[in-house]
Amino acid sequence: MIDIQEKLKEIGPYVEAADDDVLVCRCEEVTKGEIRQAVHAGMFTMEEIRRYLRSGMGLCQGQTCGKLVKGIVARELKVSPLEIEPATSRAPMRPTEMRIMAQDGGGANE
Amino acid sequence: MIKRYDLIVVGAGPAGLSAAIEAAKNGLKPIVFDENAKPGGQLFKQIHKFFGSKEHKAKIRGFNIGDELLREASENGVEVVLNATVIGLYDGKEVTVKIGEEILHYKGDSVLIATGASENMVTFKGWTTPGVIGAGAAQTMMNLHHIKPGNKVLMLGSGNVGLVVSYQLMQAGCEVVALVDAAPRIGGYGVHAAKIARCGVPFYLSHTIVEVTGAEAVNGVTIAKLDENFKFIEGTEKTFEVDTVCVAVGLSPMSQLLKQAGCEMKDTPGGFVPVCDDSGATSIPGIYAAGDVAGIEEASSAMIEGRMSGARIANYLGYLDEDALQARLAELEQALSSLRKGMFAPENRGKLVTKTEEGIDTSMSLLEKGYVADDEIEKYPGVTKGSGVHPVIECTQNIPCNPCQDACPKGCISIGSNITSLPVVKGDVACIGCGMCVASCSGQAIFLVEDDIGDGYGTVTLPYEFLPLPEVGQKGIALGRDGKEVCKAEVINVRSSTAFDHTHLLTMKVSTDMVMKARFFKAE
Amino acid sequence: MERIQTHPILGDSPKGKLVSFTYDGQVLQGIEGEPISAALRVAGVMTHRYTKKRHEPRGVFCAIGRCTDCVMVVNGMPNIRTCITPLEEGMDVRTQYGASDKREEATL
């Protein structure tokens, strides 16, 4: 278990970077700077970042930015991307309209 | 009502279809769901000839392999449902599928996930501007929908996808202004790099994109050189006027369904993949994974992995006994392991291999500029001199590929039993100049050379896959391996044959002292 | 961008049936069944939508229905992935602003 306060001390304060305004999540328009700041606010997992910034929560469901966000978080935390806890994977895997979700043909226990 | 199947396959690409075919051959009733309007995955966008040997369908173009696979699937009664998006997978081997305006539930006694991969991306200033596209998008537009993705294109990424798509862009009539990669060395096969370098495409290794410009659409791109810490070196910027920037920086497995089902997963440098055995069995009994979703490789390997999973599933459901399974797996395993040999084997990924298996120095020029330098080429065993017409095989890396050795009716070319060995031209056998080797080489690395046809001229025969096809008598310029002008040239023969499968054999006359330098013909 | 008439490997491009559709009210033509985005690219349309927050232009990016950057308002329905939606005669295709076809919504 990571001690968040210890880790925050270790990585030091957020320092502005020249490319902070570059978009990372194209759907929800979340920038690199916002993601970096979120890490310094104590969010170290993909799930927390998603819920806090909505990156990866748009129409494409993180297909494009998932790996990019992970890389930014890892660099900020000075660890390998392999150490970053991945986000939960849940249905629907593709954008699906609510009216279609409502047309569910039935579950396993019927 | 829940419909039940012996096997539910998610993804009708090379792995999924192969698995379904193998399972069906053993008596199972598989159903394959695919979210796309057409089956075949990426095979129908792959218009180049595949590498490998006969068992891997080498020298056959990807889309033709796709046709073969679809035929085999239909012959074996494999049911493929298109426009069917699997949106959920649950551990009871139940899938939810969006078909039309409905969500339907299906249960499988086994489920195989063969969802493939998605493209990685990199960010840079302007990367969201219309006109910046993935390499896959370029392939889709030109090879499926028959439109040019752009007129002037810069390619970012020198892996096989970046190299192959650059070549395809030129075949579609686009101009490729540069191939750029942040890495110091070309990631893909040298032969793929060489065939675009000799057309004059410059390679910028240790470079990346600083900025893409254009308010409503791309109108330019600036690149700069990187230092060893991957920081831009000031003053090295170069700007290109382009309307399209194509990004080919790798693929990641699309493994979300497996994670959702609760399969044990592992994060690797190659992506987030399920933990599975050689035949794709995951930690949940009855759930399997094959192809890129289990780890990025080539379509050739995906097809074999699919077959292995199909056989394994047949055994799991009692359709194939253990002995028969082991025999089949051993056969497939051998085919798979031969594809994983050589300089580009999984264990060599990212490593610099400095010598070939034969002990010859690797061409650094090839790795850094995309072409073997003139003074290096004669070190390789396929490059020999002879009187009369003879093959010159500029194959300098150990890759699993051997169609050239079967192509020669006279037996001039030998690779031997080790599929990654460099081809050797046997000096004692007479070449008849038929050109079968030239057309058979998936890497387009074989040329026929005749040093002296009199009057101080010789000839070079090269593979040509562009339009318009030059005509006999046409005058132009011979380009060297580096794409630079070498000398004047005149087309003296153009051969086309169904046996060559759309690779034309262009013979040009050049001065005798240039026959070992001239490697491409550019019309004047 | 142009259509590829003849390709060195794939040969002559299939000749489909020409249909008319409207793009922001302007009548354009395309081939029936091809993705809407293909017909638009041939007509020189690169921008499919403007984003909600930064009002930036977006166009085709992945071309296989994954990235959703090419979505437009088609026959009144927003968020239609034009790269995988087949073109039909008489389709009403509009630039999407945020999540609608009204420019004001994205600028509010």
Side-chain angles (χ1 to χ4, degrees):
Chain A
M1 197 61 186
I2 300 176
D3 182 322
I4 293 175
Q5 296 309 326
E6 277 306 306
K7 189 74 194 177
L8 285 176
K9 257 185 243 164
E10 183 197 319
I11 64 172
Y14 160 75
V15 182
E16 231 179 87
D19 59 354
D20 271 356
D21 67 333
V22 170
L23 283 184
V24 177
C25 171
R26 299 167 68 100
C27 300
E28 292 293 314
E29 299 179 83
V30 180
T31 64
K32 187 172 180 181
E34 288 174 286
I35 296 163
R36 292 184 56 232
Q37 278 172 302
V39 174
H40 288 273
M43 270 150 288
F44 298 168
T45 66
M46 293 293 280
E47 198 62 38
E48 288 166 304
I49 302 267
R50 277 173 77 141
R51 284 166 189 260
Y52 185 57
L53 296 173
R54 283 201 56 81
S55 55
M57 301 282 270
L59 273 183
C60 98
Q61 287 292 292
Q63 298 238 33
T64 313
C65 72
K67 199 170 176 178
L68 294 168
V69 174
K70 204 173 187 181
I72 294 166
V73 174
R75 232 166 297 140
E76 220 53 36
L77 290 174
K78 301 183 169 83
V79 297
S80 151
L82 305 184
E83 289 176 46
I84 306 297
E85 196 181 302
T88 307
S89 181
R90 55 171 76 79
M93 293 295 156
R94 293 283 184 268
T96 309
E97 294 98 312
M98 287 307 287
R99 68 186 167 82
I100 294 176
M101 292 295 274
Q103 301 294 314
D104 194 315
N109 304 318
E110 277 177 31
Chain B
M1 262 297 282
I2 289 184
K3 286 192 197 152
R4 283 198 86 98
Y5 282 88
D6 294 333
L7 167 62
I8 294 172
V9 176
V10 186
L17 285 177
S18 301
I21 291 166
E22 185 79 16
K25 280 183 173 169
N26 282 294
L28 279 78
K29 288 243 168 308
I31 187 166
V32 186
F33 294 113
D34 196 293
E35 63 179 321
N36 299 293
K38 293 195 176 100
Q42 306 310 304
L43 280 174
F44 286 96
K45 302 171 193 174
Q46 301 188 343
I47 60 169
H48 61 282
K49 295 177 179 174
F50 274 35
F51 291 79
S53 67
K54 232 180 229 156
E55 60 179 340
H56 311 116
K57 303 189 189 295
K59 81 171 183 181
I60 303 178
R61 297 186 190 271
F63 65 100
N64 291 325
I65 296 175
D67 278 335
E68 269 181 40
L69 216 48
L70 291 185
R71 206 163 34 241
E72 201 183 352
S74 106
E75 280 164 11
N76 286 284
V78 172
E79 187 181 348
V80 180
V81 187
L82 300 169
N83 296 308
T85 311
V86 174
I87 57 169
L89 169 65
Y90 302 87
D91 58 3
K93 286 169 282 184
E94 180 172 337
V95 298
T96 45
V97 193
K98 181 184 149 195
I99 300 175
E101 301 276 279
E102 264 189 307
I103 309 274
L104 300 172
H105 292 238
Y106 292 85
K107 254 193 160 186
D109 291 331
S110 60
V111 175
L112 174 85
I113 302 300
T115 41
S118 61
E119 291 183 282
N120 294 340
M121 279 301 147
V122 285
T123 58
F124 42 81
K125 204 173 165 201
W127 78 296
T128 56
T129 311
V132 177
I133 56 173
Q139 258 189 328
T140 305
M141 288 184 211
M142 51 193 179
N143 300 339
L144 283 190
H145 305 315
H146 313 286
I147 61 169
K148 281 163 75 171
N151 289 316
K152 293 180 90 173
V153 188
L154 178 132
M155 175 68 70
L156 179 68
S158 72
N160 276 334
V161 174
L163 299 173
V164 167
V165 174
S166 294
Y167 185 72
Q168 290 179 7
L169 282 161
M170 292 191 282
Q171 288 182 307
C174 314
E175 185 190 343
V176 179
V177 302
L179 198 138
V180 178
D181 199 314
R185 292 181 298 273
I186 290 166
Y189 287 178
V191 284
H192 280 319
K195 70 187 190 195
I196 56 178
R198 65 176 175 253
C199 296
V201 176
F203 283 68
Y204 292 94
L205 277 294
S206 294
H207 278 71
T208 197
I209 295 174
V210 180
E211 180 185 13
V212 164
T213 54
E216 292 286 314
V218 174
N219 63 15
V221 55
T222 301
I223 63 167
K225 197 172 165 64
L226 296 165
D227 65 16
E228 55 275 21
N229 300 314
F230 289 92
K231 295 262 183 284
F232 290 117
I233 303 172
E234 239 177 277
T236 61
E237 295 85 2
K238 278 185 191 68
T239 299
F240 300 88
E241 209 178 279
V242 295
D243 53 34
T244 304
V245 171
C246 210
V247 183
V249 293
L251 300 166
S252 287
M254 263 200 302
S255 55
Q256 294 92 333
L257 283 170
L258 292 157
K259 178 162 178 359
Q260 191 214 341
C263 294
E264 192 186 329
M265 306 292 289
K266 62 179 175 191
D267 214 346
T268 70
F272 197 56
V273 292
V275 174
C276 50
D277 72 7
D278 290 346
S279 51
T282 68
S283 62
I284 299 179
I287 298 185
Y288 296 79
D292 276 355
V293 74
I296 307 297
E297 274 182 275
E298 301 287 331
S300 324
S301 344
M303 288 187 279
I304 303 172
E305 284 178 28
R307 304 253 170 194
M308 292 173 81
S309 294
R312 178 66 195 273
I313 290 165
N315 170 264
Y316 172 72
L317 295 180
Y319 288 80
L320 183 67
D321 69 42
E322 191 62 28
D323 288 349
L325 170 71
Q326 290 312 327
R328 180 70 176 135
L329 287 183
E331 182 188 349
L332 291 164
E333 183 68 53
Q334 210 211 327
L336 187 59
S337 69
S338 72
L339 280 180
R340 290 176 172 163
K341 281 189 191 157
M343 283 182 175
F344 294 85
E347 69 267 20
N348 285 335
R349 221 162 265 173
K351 279 189 206 155
L352 170 62
V353 179
T354 53
K355 280 198 189 302
T356 70
E357 289 165 14
E358 292 79 5
I360 306 165
D361 288 339
T362 301
S363 163
M364 290 311 289
S365 167
L366 180 64
L367 295 180
E368 289 164 5
K369 297 177 191 160
Y371 55 89
V372 179
D374 290 345
D375 59 356
E376 295 174 315
I377 197 72
E378 287 179 22
K379 292 189 293 193
Y380 299 96
V383 181
T384 53
K385 289 192 169 152
S387 59
V389 64
H390 61 279
V392 169
I393 308 184
E394 305 195 349
C395 181
T396 67
Q397 291 176 323
N398 302 110
I399 56 177
C401 191
N402 66 8
C404 58
Q405 97 172 334
D406 298 326
C408 180
K410 292 285 170 188
C412 282
I413 302 167
S414 140
I415 285 182
S417 56
N418 178 15
I419 188 177
T420 58
S421 296
L422 298 181
V424 176
V425 174
K426 294 189 227 161
D428 52 342
V429 190
C431 170
I432 53 168
C434 69
M436 287 307 292
C437 57
V438 179
S440 79
C441 177
S442 309
Q444 298 189 19
I446 307 185
F447 304 85
L448 294 181
V449 168
E450 186 164 9
D451 293 27
D452 186 10
I453 58 164
D455 296 332
Y457 287 106
T459 66
V460 178
T461 301
L462 53 98
Y464 197 90
E465 292 188 346
F466 299 102
L467 288 176
L469 190 60
E471 285 169 18
V472 172
Q474 198 169 337
K475 295 200 166 71
I477 303 288
L479 303 182
R481 297 181 185 88
D482 58 0
K484 301 214 166 72
E485 290 187 16
V486 168
C487 61
K488 288 193 165 146
E490 182 186 337
V491 178
I492 58 163
N493 196 5
V494 179
R495 285 182 275 171
S496 308
S497 154
T498 45
F500 300 160
D501 187 10
H502 296 87
T503 307
H504 304 278
L505 267 48
L506 182 150
T507 304
M508 60 181 179
K509 186 171 93 172
V510 294
S511 64
T512 289
D513 55 340
M514 290 301 165
V515 293
M516 281 309 288
K517 293 197 166 106
R519 287 297 174 264
F520 193 68
F521 176 80
K522 192 175 141 194
E524 246 171 357
Chain C
M1 304 302 164
E2 304 151 48
R3 292 188 188 280
I4 301 165
Q5 303 297 343
T6 308
H7 188 281
I9 308 302
L10 299 169
D12 290 338
S13 298
K15 299 259 178 289
K17 183 185 158 201
L18 273 186
V19 293
S20 298
F21 68 103
T22 59
Y23 158 69
D24 286 343
Q26 178 194 346
V27 179
L28 296 178
Q29 286 202 312
I31 295 172
E32 186 176 51
E34 74 179 343
I36 297 170
S37 65
L40 289 173
R41 210 171 185 87
V42 171
V45 176
M46 295 295 283
T47 299
H48 288 215
R49 68 180 183 109
Y50 290 88
T51 61
K52 196 177 171 71
K53 280 197 207 161
R54 311 217 304 189
H55 320 304
E56 289 174 351
R58 294 288 171 80
V60 173
F61 185 56
C62 81
I64 52 169
R66 298 277 155 69
C67 78
T68 66
D69 249 340
C70 69
V71 298
M72 297 177 89
V73 181
V74 177
N75 294 340
M77 289 268 287
N79 290 337
I80 300 297
R81 293 172 287 172
T82 55
C83 70
I84 54 163
T85 304
L87 183 69
E88 291 167 17
E89 171 77 44
M91 264 182 167
D92 174 14
V93 179
R94 289 169 192 270
T95 304
Q96 182 166 322
Y97 299 89
S100 90
D101 59 353
K102 308 280 184 301
R103 187 180 290 267
E104 309 82 65
E105 286 211 9
T107 46
L108 277 178

